[in-house]
């Protein structure tokens, strides 16, 4: 494959992950990021869609997971969440039995971690704990619930009795050419002019934590978060940044309209913690 | 008056290799086993004008004889100079001659003979005659006043047995073994030296001669065509390996798109699947690449291609032949359930020292070979090559991005051919391939912290190989081939990933062929391999964590270092039985191989391989052939390891393979070879579906497979100016990994593989050749509906169909090659250009999906690329 790339045997251009041109789920954050048994966990999501309106975002949580891709949810059960239809108490009961925890914007997702979640683990295993799988399904307006019309995503949430549980990273600011952009500000960018975008994390956002290794010994480690850039238009010199260099060059598009568009930056701490920010820009 | 046949001797013969009957040195062609003999002589009528003038004379003719013994052309090489019709009469008579055909190991072959037709008057006719125009008698007492040497232009090869004639006067001299000639009594003044010889351009060189001083003239004679086509046995020669397909090296060198590499040409023959350009895999009769064995002079090596599969690791000029055995091979070869490719290095070296410098887009190399000793009994060849893509690629890459593919290889061979019962050769060869890819500092290659850094891979092989052949008697001989060397392979990514293995291998192959009579040959043999393999593995995670597929799991670096010894002393016995009165009519080759592999601490396994093949000549030109056998293959080295102390519980992979075929000669040049085959595979090593921890084995013998098909080869041997072959394979190859799973198409299953190759020699030492291919696309597994893994920022795909249930679009391509040879006095220059994918077929080689599996595209093969190169050959 590499040889082909070197010889320039490229394929027809495929859409790029960083370019937002369809309904996407870019981020899901749990709070707390690493709950203990009995904790109440709330969720937020970054769902973007430049082309269609999102009717609802449905959430399920399964402590042990149904398979690698999260809870197994019957499609017919999902259909009961049609906002235009009636939701019977039986349907609701079946939904909760399947792990249903919310449907935005009507029912914010909340998951109460069972108090006995770790009872099957030994005392040595509990600091590492288990993983819960959170399924998120974004349903556009007018969609008939065919899988190819939905955006399906899943996220893992560790449940443990860790002495240094994980926290979501905190983004302190985003700047354009070293100028910090205040929230709600629309930044004007000139076509043909590169701009340096920088994301700064709050102090101590890269946490130091204790890890119990395979030999039972404790190790102190520091998080190594990474950042992914997304945009509706333009280009980046690179779309992934590694800690601590959260900086990319953005090239405005040559032919974009002057309507405001968005640039997003999502930070993941590799332990399940997540945070994001966005930048409204107008190209001129 | 009567006409007498003064001379009916064949003054010489040459193998007919059109367009120039003697365009190759005779001693470089396969020896004729049977020379042509005149079986029907037709007496020429004595021309009346000559008889009336009482003139006698000799006409030297060149007679073309085809493979049936018929005369196809007659030319006058040396006329009488009388202009009285003797030449025309001789030509007319010679055209009706009939000869018994000449034969070499391949059967009847066309040749050219020199024939001197003499016209002598009987005594009555001569009475009173005074031959006024007879050439003046040679005065032996006159001094030699003209001498010199006749050599072939470009090769500096002395030309022996050539006639140098002085005009006017007609005084002649014949060159000796060193090409030297000397002539007495040449009249002083301006003369012309004339040399006319079949296969060479006529030479007329003006010379000023003194009557009292010796004049020395070196004559350079230009061959009409230097582009020889050594006909090497082809595949018609009865062989114990009934599916053996051997093609001549000169055909090989002209096949477009192969960079002149004989081993790549194997991929144009039946049974060989087309693998994506740049991979260099050998996929034979539906077998995995690692299931086919690659050998150099009978000693197995791990890799046959340099990086990317563009060229093989042996200099093409040192390759004597390539045996391609897609199946049905005897017990001489083992440890493979697929096919065999055995590269045999050159055993004959030119008398004069050659230095060859070759350069193409990829690499450049030098070869020196020749002979030494009074009887030229010491042959030698030394070669080395080095690629330079690593110097070119940076010119096309962005600043900071580095891709450095690099390879080199070397070979040195010594061959000793004594007068006694011993022969000896020594071969030392090796190669190294390296690929390094890196990105600018600070550039994130992926979101994985452990996926950063320089990507590097290196593999190398070095071998020293000796071969000793001793003939005890006419019936008993001993062949011994010991070898020793090492193989090294390494892969690394940054500091987190590193896999490294070195193998120190010793191999001995020995045979004791005993041939008590022409009907029986018994060959016991041993094929020993053994050695140790130190290896180290460094991973950023514990493989047990990998099984959990949890990206949030904390990674613990995993490092293991170990030494894995292993050995296998296989022995075999094969027989070649020719039970009929005509020993060539029926050949049966039963054989038995005992396989044994010991990986101390892991496993000791053994198995027997009974094999039988046969060939029956049903009628002249039609042969039936078939084979049936069992083949065992040990697990690959990386499969023979466990992380814990439990032994690896793996056994041989096994194949039951059979074939039935027919070979049909159509005339002396065309052959059709058709063969059907079936191969049942079981005990295939596959991943353990129950692997959960390091206490579980990584692999199990659960897989089964089957492959079957039809192979057809229609071949036109290099006769006249043309060579070519049409190869077609219709096949199906399938696998099933677990007993409760469905069958699926093998990764390289290709229903139709059609390859046509042809070459033609034009005048002026220009050759053109072309290759056309049509191949069914490789199977693929369809995916759609990616589900977004929020933690890893990537989509996981669902397969929407069974494994390998769809296919890439078919591959088709037309390629060409043009060669032009320039000949200078002391050297030759061959310029060529390979025209790859002339019609610009947009051939998908790999399938690519976009990030969420909603779009699909293909990585296409090479576009149209003209690839020039040259080869300069110097003679000393």
């Amino acid at each position: 494959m590499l040889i082909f790339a070197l010889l320039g045997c490229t394929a027809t251009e495929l859409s790029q992950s960083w370019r937002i041109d369809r309904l996407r789920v870019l981020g899901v954050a749990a709070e707390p990021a690493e709950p203990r048994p009995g904790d109440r966990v709330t969720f937020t999501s970054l769902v973007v869609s430049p082309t269609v309106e999102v009717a609802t975002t449905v959430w399920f949580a399964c402590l042990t997971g149904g398979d690698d891709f999260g809870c197994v949810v019957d499609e017919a059960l999902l259909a009961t969440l049609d906002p235009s239809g009636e939701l019977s108490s039986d349907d609701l009961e079946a939904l909760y039995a399947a792990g249903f925890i919310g449907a935005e914007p009507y029912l914010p997702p909340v998951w109460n971690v069972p108090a006995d979640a770790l009872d099957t683990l030994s005392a040595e295993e509990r600091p590492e704990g288990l993983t819960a799988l959170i399924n998120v399904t974004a349903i556009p307006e007018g969609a008939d619930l065919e899988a190819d019309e939905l955006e399906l995503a899943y996220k893992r949430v560790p449940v443990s009795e860790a002495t240094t549980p994980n926290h979501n990273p905190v983004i302190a600011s985003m700047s354009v050419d070293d100028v910090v952009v205040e929230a709600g500000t629309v930044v004007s960018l000139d076509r043909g002019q590169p701009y340096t975008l920088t994301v700064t994390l709050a102090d101590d956002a890269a946490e130091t934590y204790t890890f119990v290794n395979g030999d039972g010994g404790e190790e102190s480690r520091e998080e190594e978060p990474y950042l992914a850039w997304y945009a509706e238009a333009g280009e980046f010199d690179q779309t992934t940044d590694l800690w601590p260099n959260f900086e990319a060059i953005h090239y405005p598009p040559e032919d974009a309209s002057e309507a405001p568009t968005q640039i997003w930056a999502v930070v993941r701490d590799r332990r399940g913690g997540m945070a994001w920010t966005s930048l409204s820009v107008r190209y001129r | 008056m009567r006409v007498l046949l003064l001379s009916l001797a064949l003054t010489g013969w040459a193998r007919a290799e059109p367009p120039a009957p003697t365009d190759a040195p005779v001693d470089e062609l396969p020896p004729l086993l049977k020379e042509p003999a005149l079986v029907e002589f037709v007496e020429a009528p004595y021309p009346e004008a000559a008889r009336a003038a009482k003139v006698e004379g000799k006409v030297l003719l060149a007679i073309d004889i085809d493979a049936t013994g018929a005369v196809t052309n007659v030319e006058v090489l040396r006329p009488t100079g009388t202009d009285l019709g003797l030449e025309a009469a001789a030509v007319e008579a010679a055209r009706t001659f009939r000869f018994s055909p000449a034969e070499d190991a391949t059967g009847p072959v066309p040749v050219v003979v020199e024939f001197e037709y003499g016209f002598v008057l009987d005594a009555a006719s001569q009475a009173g005659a005074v031959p006024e125009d007879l050439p003046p008698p040679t005065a032996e007492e006159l001094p030699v006043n003209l001498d010199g040497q006749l050599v072939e232009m470009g090769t500096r090869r002395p030309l022996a047995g050539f006639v140098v004639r002085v005009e006017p006067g007609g005084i002649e001299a014949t060159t000796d073994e060193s090409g030297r000639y000397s002539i007495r009594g040449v009249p002083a003044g301006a003369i012309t030296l004339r040399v006319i010889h079949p296969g060479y351009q006529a030479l007329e060189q003006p010379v000023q001669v003194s009557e009292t001083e010796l004049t020395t003239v070196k004559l350079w004679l230009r061959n009409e065509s230097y582009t020889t086509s050594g006909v090497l046995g082809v595949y018609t020669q009865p062989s114990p390996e009934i599916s053996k397909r051997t093609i001549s090296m000169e055909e090989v060198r002209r096949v477009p798109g192969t960079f002149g590499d004989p081993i790549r040409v194997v991929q144009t023959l039946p049974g060989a699947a087309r693998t994506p350009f740049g991979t260099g895999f050998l996929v034979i009769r539906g077998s995995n690449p690692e299931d086919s064995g690659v050998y150099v002079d009978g000693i197995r090596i791990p890799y046959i291609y340099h990086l990317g599969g563009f060229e093989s690791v042996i200099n093409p000029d040192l390759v004597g032949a390539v045996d391609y055995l897609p199946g049905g091979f005897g017990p001489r070869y083992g440890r493979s359930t697929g096919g065999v490719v055995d590269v045999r290095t050159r055993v004959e070296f030119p008398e004069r020292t050659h230095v060859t410098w070759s350069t193409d887009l990829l690499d450049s190399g030098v070869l020196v070979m020749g002979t030494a000793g009074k009887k030229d009994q010491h042959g030698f060849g030394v070669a080395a090559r080095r690629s330079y893509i690593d110097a070119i690629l940076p010119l096309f890459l962005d600043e900071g991005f580095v891709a450095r593919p690099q390879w080199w290889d070397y070979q040195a061979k010594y061959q000793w051919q004594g007068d006694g019962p011993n022969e000896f050769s020594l071969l030392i060869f090796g190669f190294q391939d390296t690929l390094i890819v890196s990105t600018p500092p600070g550039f994130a290659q992926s979101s994985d912290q452990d996926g950063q850094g320089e990507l590097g891979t290196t593999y190398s092989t070095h071998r020293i190989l000796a071969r000793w052949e001793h003939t005890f008697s006419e019936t008993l001989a001993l062949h011994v081939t010991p070898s020793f060397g090492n193989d090294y392979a390494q892969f690394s990514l940054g500091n987190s990933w590193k896999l490294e293995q070195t193998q120190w291998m010793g191999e001995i192959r020995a045979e004791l062929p005993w041939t008590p009579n022409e009907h029986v040959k018994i060959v016991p043999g041993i094929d020993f391999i053994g050695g140790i393999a130190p290896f180290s593995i460094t991973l950023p995670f514990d493989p047990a964590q990998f099984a959990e597929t949890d990206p949030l799991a904390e990674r613990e670096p995993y490092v293991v270092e170990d030494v894995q010894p292993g050995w296998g002393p296989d022995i075999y016995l094969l027989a070649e039985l020719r039970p009929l009165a005509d020993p060539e009519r029926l050949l049966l080759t039963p054989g038995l191989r005992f396989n044994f592999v010991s990986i101390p601490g892991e496993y000791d396994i053994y198995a027997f391989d009974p094999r039988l093949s046969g060939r029956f000549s049903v009628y002249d030109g039609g042969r039936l052939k078939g084979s049936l056998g069992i083949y065992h293959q040990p697990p690959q080295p990386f499969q023979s390891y466990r992380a814990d102390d439990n032994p690896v519980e793996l056994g041989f992979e096994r194949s039951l393979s059979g074939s039935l075929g027919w070979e049909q000669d159509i005339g002396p040049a065309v052959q059709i070879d058709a063969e059907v085959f079936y191969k049942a595979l079981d005990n295939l090593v596959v991943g353990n579906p129950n692997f959960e921890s390091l206490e579980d084995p990584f692999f199990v013998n659960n897989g089964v497979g089957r492959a079957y098909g039809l192979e057809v080869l229609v071949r036109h041997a290099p006769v006249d100016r043309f060579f070519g072959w049409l190869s077609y394979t219709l096949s199906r190859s399938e696998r099933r990994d677990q007993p409760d799973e469905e069958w699926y198409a093998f990764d390289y299953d290709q229903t139709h593989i059609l390859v046509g190759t042809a070459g033609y020699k034009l005048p002026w030492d220009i050759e053109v050749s072309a290759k056309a291919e049509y191949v069914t696309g490789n199977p693929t597994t369809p995916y759609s509906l990616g589900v977004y893994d929020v933690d890893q920022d990537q989509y996981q795909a669902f397969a929407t169909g069974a494994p390998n249930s769809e296919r890439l679009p078919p591959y088709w391509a037309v390629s060409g090659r043009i060669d032009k040879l320039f000949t200078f006095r002391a050297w030759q220059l061959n310029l060529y250009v390979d025209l790859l994918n002339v019609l610009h077929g947009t051939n998908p080689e790999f399938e690519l999906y976009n990030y969420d599996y909603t779009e699909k595209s293909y990585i296409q093969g090479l576009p149209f690329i003209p690839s020039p190169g040259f080869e300069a050959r110097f003679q000393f």
Side-chain angles (χ1 to χ4, degrees):
Chain A
M1 195 81 81
L2 178 65
I3 293 293
F4 282 90
L6 296 176
L7 291 172
C9 303
T10 52
T12 305
E13 190 166 331
L14 295 167
S15 58
Q16 300 295 308
S17 175
W18 60 267
R19 183 184 294 281
I20 304 303
D21 57 1
R22 63 194 73 175
L23 172 61
R24 299 280 297 277
V25 176
L26 297 183
V28 174
E31 186 58 48
E34 186 170 357
R36 299 172 69 88
D39 280 356
R40 182 175 186 272
V41 184
T42 60
F43 295 91
T44 52
S45 63
L46 175 59
V47 179
V48 299
S49 176
T51 55
V52 294
E53 291 294 322
V54 178
T56 182
T57 304
V58 182
W59 296 70
F60 286 81
C62 298
L63 186 61
T64 56
D67 58 20
D68 286 345
F69 295 104
C71 305
V72 176
V73 181
D74 192 307
E75 207 171 274
L77 196 61
L78 208 59
T80 62
L81 290 167
D82 183 353
S84 62
E86 294 286 328
L87 188 62
S88 68
S89 59
D90 288 346
D91 291 338
L92 198 57
E93 189 175 334
L95 279 168
Y96 279 114
F100 176 73
I101 59 170
E104 296 178 297
Y106 318 105
L107 189 60
V110 175
W111 179 49
N112 293 306
V113 183
D116 59 353
L118 303 181
D119 284 1
T120 57
L121 302 183
S122 65
E124 292 76 24
E125 293 171 326
R126 290 186 181 190
E128 188 169 352
L130 293 173
T131 298
L133 285 165
I134 312 300
N135 279 19
V136 183
T137 304
I139 305 173
E141 287 282 4
D144 56 5
L145 299 186
E146 291 294 326
D148 57 357
E149 294 190 33
L150 312 178
E151 178 69 356
L152 307 174
Y154 66 99
K155 172 182 173 46
R156 301 163 188 82
V157 174
V159 177
S160 74
E161 294 177 354
T163 54
T164 52
N166 187 32
H167 299 87
N168 287 310
V170 177
I171 295 176
S173 65
M174 180 187 248
S175 59
V176 178
D177 284 348
D178 295 329
V179 177
V180 174
V181 179
E182 299 296 332
T185 305
V186 178
V187 179
S188 294
L189 304 180
D190 293 334
R191 296 190 180 97
Q193 178 76 30
Y195 293 91
T196 301
L197 308 182
T198 306
V199 167
T200 304
L201 296 187
D203 292 344
D204 302 327
E207 301 173 79
T208 300
Y209 60 98
T210 301
F211 161 62
V212 180
N213 62 30
D215 299 328
E218 290 191 350
E219 293 180 19
S220 180
R221 292 187 172 183
E222 185 173 351
E223 287 180 346
E224 295 176 328
Y226 67 96
L227 181 150
W229 296 97
Y230 308 91
E232 292 180 83
E235 302 280 347
F236 294 102
D237 67 335
Q238 59 181 30
T239 57
T240 300
D241 287 335
L242 302 181
W243 175 257
N245 302 311
F246 285 178
E247 189 174 278
I249 297 174
H250 178 65
Y251 302 94
E254 295 295 334
D255 54 356
S257 70
E258 295 193 357
T261 64
Q262 297 289 309
I263 293 173
W264 295 272
V266 178
V267 177
R268 295 169 171 86
D269 67 6
R270 302 181 198 274
R271 299 172 65 204
M274 198 171 295
W276 53 83
T277 186
S278 64
L279 178 69
S280 294
V281 298
R282 176 181 286 117
Y283 300 109
R284 60 188 182 191
Chain B
M1 188 169 63
R2 62 187 172 85
V3 177
L4 294 178
L5 182 65
L6 186 69
S7 170
L8 193 57
L10 300 182
T11 61
W13 61 268
R15 293 287 302 280
E17 299 301 331
T22 57
D23 56 1
V26 171
D27 57 1
E28 290 185 10
L29 294 169
L32 281 184
L33 301 179
K34 182 182 172 189
E35 295 185 4
L38 184 62
V39 296
E40 186 178 334
F41 171 73
V42 176
E43 186 175 293
Y46 211 115
E48 283 304 319
R51 184 173 56 188
K54 295 185 170 49
V55 170
E56 298 178 342
K58 302 173 189 175
V59 182
L60 183 62
L61 303 173
I63 303 176
D64 291 8
I65 305 168
D66 69 14
T68 67
V71 174
T72 58
N73 189 39
V74 180
E75 290 181 13
V76 175
L77 295 179
R78 191 178 65 240
T80 60
T82 60
D83 199 20
L84 292 172
L86 294 175
E87 292 81 3
V91 167
E92 200 58 35
R95 282 189 174 139
T96 57
F97 287 0
R98 187 87 195 158
F99 293 81
S100 64
E103 293 182 12
D104 70 2
T106 68
V109 293
V111 296
V112 178
V113 299
E114 289 182 7
F115 190 95
E116 191 170 64
Y117 204 118
F119 292 86
V120 177
L121 296 168
D122 59 14
S125 300
Q126 292 188 71
V130 179
E132 297 174 353
D133 53 354
L134 287 178
T138 303
E140 292 298 331
E141 65 278 9
L142 292 177
V144 172
N145 63 336
L146 176 64
D147 71 359
Q149 186 186 25
L150 179 66
V151 296
E152 186 180 74
M153 185 181 288
T155 67
R156 302 172 72 155
R157 186 171 65 93
L159 299 174
F162 283 52
V163 174
V164 179
R165 184 182 176 95
V166 176
E167 297 289 358
I171 309 173
E172 295 178 352
T174 301
T175 57
D176 63 15
E177 285 186 355
S178 59
R180 300 197 172 278
Y181 65 92
S182 58
I183 306 175
R184 299 171 184 272
V186 178
I191 60 135
T192 299
L193 287 177
R194 176 179 295 167
V195 181
I196 300 174
H197 198 87
Y200 288 83
Q201 293 182 359
L203 172 70
E204 290 190 355
Q205 179 150 338
V207 177
Q208 194 70 30
V209 179
S210 162
E211 207 161 336
T212 56
E213 295 179 3
L214 176 63
T215 303
T216 300
V217 180
K218 189 168 189 176
L219 301 173
W220 299 83
L221 198 58
R222 195 180 195 290
N223 200 325
E224 286 184 349
S225 174
Y226 291 87
T227 49
T228 60
S229 290
V231 182
L232 302 177
V234 196
Y235 57 95
T236 60
Q237 185 175 357
S239 161
E241 319 290 358
I242 63 136
S243 294
K244 177 176 175 178
R245 286 164 184 148
T246 305
I247 55 178
S248 76
M249 292 305 298
E250 285 304 322
E251 289 172 280
V252 161
R253 300 300 295 273
R254 300 288 184 258
V255 176
T258 63
F259 295 93
D261 196 296
I263 300 157
R264 282 185 59 83
V265 175
V266 164
Q267 296 179 344
T268 69
L269 296 176
R274 181 190 175 276
T275 52
F277 190 88
T279 59
F281 294 149
L282 273 177
V283 175
I284 299 174
R285 283 189 178 171
S287 296
N288 290 317
E290 64 270 22
D291 296 344
S292 293
V294 182
Y295 298 79
V296 173
D297 288 343
I299 295 298
R300 195 157 182 168
I301 60 173
Y303 313 105
I304 192 61
Y305 291 114
H306 280 300
L307 199 67
F310 296 108
E311 292 186 339
S312 65
V313 296
I314 303 291
N315 189 309
D317 281 318
L318 275 180
V319 174
V322 179
D323 288 342
Y324 166 55
L325 312 172
F329 48 85
R332 181 174 279 125
Y333 297 103
R335 306 183 184 105
S336 296
T337 56
V340 163
V341 174
D342 194 350
V343 179
R344 289 185 281 128
T345 57
R346 177 186 284 267
V347 294
E348 293 181 354
F349 294 89
E351 290 180 11
R352 304 185 68 85
T353 300
H354 288 207
V355 175
T356 305
W357 170 28
S358 53
T359 290
D360 58 30
L361 275 184
L362 302 174
D363 59 22
S364 195
V366 174
L367 164 75
V368 181
M369 60 181 177
T371 54
K374 289 183 179 177
K375 298 180 180 178
D376 293 321
Q377 71 270 38
H378 304 285
F380 66 90
V382 179
R385 278 188 303 189
R386 209 297 196 171
S387 72
Y388 38 69
I389 318 175
D390 52 323
I392 297 174
L393 271 179
L395 304 177
F396 301 94
L397 297 175
D398 291 339
E399 190 175 349
F401 289 84
V402 174
R404 295 199 299 270
Q406 178 195 107
W407 67 73
W408 49 260
D409 61 47
Y410 65 89
Q411 302 86 32
K413 178 156 187 182
Y414 166 72
Q415 178 88 31
W416 178 69
Q417 179 99 39
D419 292 332
N422 294 300
E423 288 184 29
F424 177 79
S425 68
L426 184 70
L427 174 66
I428 301 173
F429 68 95
F431 59 89
Q432 176 174 297
D433 287 66
T434 301
L435 174 64
I436 295 172
V437 179
S438 61
T439 54
F443 185 89
Q445 295 170 184
S446 72
S447 62
D448 191 338
Q449 199 74 33
D450 293 317
Q452 314 303 314
E454 196 171 74
L455 171 75
T457 184
T458 298
Y459 58 87
S460 65
T461 285
H462 304 275
R463 287 284 191 283
I464 179 168
L465 182 158
R467 181 174 173 83
W468 173 52
E469 296 186 13
H470 179 77
T471 303
F472 297 103
S473 66
E474 289 186 355
T475 60
L476 187 64
L478 174 65
H479 304 161
V480 182
T481 309
S483 75
F484 180 75
N486 78 354
D487 306 314
Y488 174 78
Q490 174 262 335
F491 168 84
S492 64
L493 174 59
N495 296 320
S496 304
W497 300 75
K498 188 167 188 180
L499 313 175
E500 191 172 27
Q501 184 183 43
T502 303
Q503 294 185 138
W504 292 94
M505 307 292 294
E507 295 179 62
I508 296 177
R509 182 179 284 274
E511 290 188 346
L512 192 68
W514 176 52
T515 313
N517 56 58
E518 62 180 345
H519 296 284
V520 177
K521 183 177 182 180
I522 307 291
V523 183
I526 182 168
D527 178 10
F528 172 89
I529 185 169
I532 58 171
F535 67 93
S536 69
I537 301 172
T538 302
L539 301 175
F541 59 83
D542 191 317
Q545 291 178 319
F546 184 72
E548 295 172 6
T549 66
D550 185 352
L552 301 187
E554 288 291 335
R555 292 179 175 179
E556 292 185 70
Y558 177 83
V559 179
V560 61
E561 293 182 353
D562 209 339
V563 177
Q564 192 179 52
W567 62 293
D570 291 10
I571 56 174
Y572 57 87
L573 180 67
L574 67 89
E576 295 175 22
L577 308 177
R578 304 173 190 271
L580 301 184
D582 178 0
E584 299 302 322
R585 188 94 191 277
L586 174 63
L587 170 64
L588 294 172
T589 312
L592 181 66
R593 183 181 177 103
F594 172 69
N595 304 278
F596 179 81
V597 176
S598 174
I599 307 293
E602 300 295 351
Y603 58 73
D604 295 323
I605 51 179
Y606 67 92
F608 289 92
D609 288 353
R611 300 174 191 173
L612 172 66
S613 62
R615 178 194 303 270
F616 177 57
S617 180
V618 180
Y619 54 82
D620 191 18
R623 294 172 293 279
L624 179 70
K625 60 183 183 179
S627 70
L628 184 65
I630 293 176
Y631 300 80
H632 283 90
Q633 175 176 302
Q636 301 297 312
F638 72 93
Q639 296 165 339
S640 305
Y641 175 75
R642 279 189 70 156
D644 59 13
D645 294 332
N646 294 320
V648 172
E649 295 173 352
L650 285 179
F652 284 105
E653 295 186 331
R654 185 173 60 176
S655 161
L656 172 62
S657 177
S659 67
L660 188 64
W662 182 266
E663 294 174 357
Q664 179 66 52
D665 300 340
I666 301 176
V670 178
Q671 283 192 329
I672 298 176
D673 179 350
E675 194 169 350
V676 293
F677 70 91
Y678 185 88
K679 185 159 56 179
L681 302 161
D682 63 3
N683 290 340
L684 301 183
V685 177
V686 296
N688 179 8
N690 301 316
F691 178 81
E692 292 180 350
S693 73
L694 292 180
E695 295 176 354
D696 298 316
F698 293 118
F699 301 98
V700 290
N701 281 104
N702 281 6
V704 294
R706 59 195 177 205
Y708 47 93
L710 164 71
E711 299 168 352
V712 179
L713 179 66
V714 181
R715 183 175 185 279
H716 188 291
V719 174
D720 293 329
R721 294 174 177 269
F722 178 80
F723 77 86
W725 63 86
L726 188 66
S727 160
Y728 174 67
T729 304
L730 171 69
S731 69
R732 174 77 173 165
S733 179
E734 298 169 303
R735 300 287 187 276
R736 190 181 68 193
D737 290 345
Q738 307 296 337
D740 55 346
E741 293 181 353
E742 298 291 322
W743 287 85
Y744 64 91
F746 170 59
D747 290 347
Y748 297 101
D749 175 59
Q750 294 163 358
T751 310
H752 305 283
I753 307 169
L754 180 64
V755 183
T757 302
Y760 192 79
K761 290 182 181 177
L762 297 169
W764 311 294
D765 287 331
I766 296 175
E767 289 194 30
V768 294
S769 54
K771 181 178 72 170
E773 300 170 87
Y774 174 89
V775 183
T776 304
N778 284 328
T780 61
T781 301
Y783 292 96
S784 72
L785 189 63
V787 177
Y788 187 55
D789 181 342
V790 179
D791 296 305
Q792 299 196 86
D793 189 25
Q794 65 185 30
Y795 283 76
Q796 304 294 339
F798 286 111
T800 53
N804 287 352
S805 57
E806 293 187 354
R807 286 184 183 275
L808 292 171
Y811 174 94
W812 65 272
V814 176
S815 300
R817 178 176 165 123
I818 303 171
D819 286 75
K820 164 61 181 168
L821 181 71
F822 296 92
T823 301
F824 307 94
R825 282 194 168 180
W827 66 292
Q828 293 176 293
L829 176 65
N830 186 47
L831 297 180
Y832 63 86
V833 59
D834 256 320
L835 305 168
L836 307 177
N837 196 8
V838 173
L839 300 184
H840 205 345
T842 54
N843 294 302
E845 298 280 15
F846 298 100
E847 199 172 61
L848 275 187
Y849 286 91
N850 73 330
Y851 64 93
D852 64 354
Y853 296 85
T854 57
E855 301 167 21
K856 185 167 74 172
S857 183
Y858 304 103
I859 288 187
Q860 294 167 353
L862 290 179
F864 168 62
I865 291 181
S867 170
F870 72 84
E871 183 179 87
R873 187 181 296 261
F874 304 86
Q875 317 279 336
F876 297 95

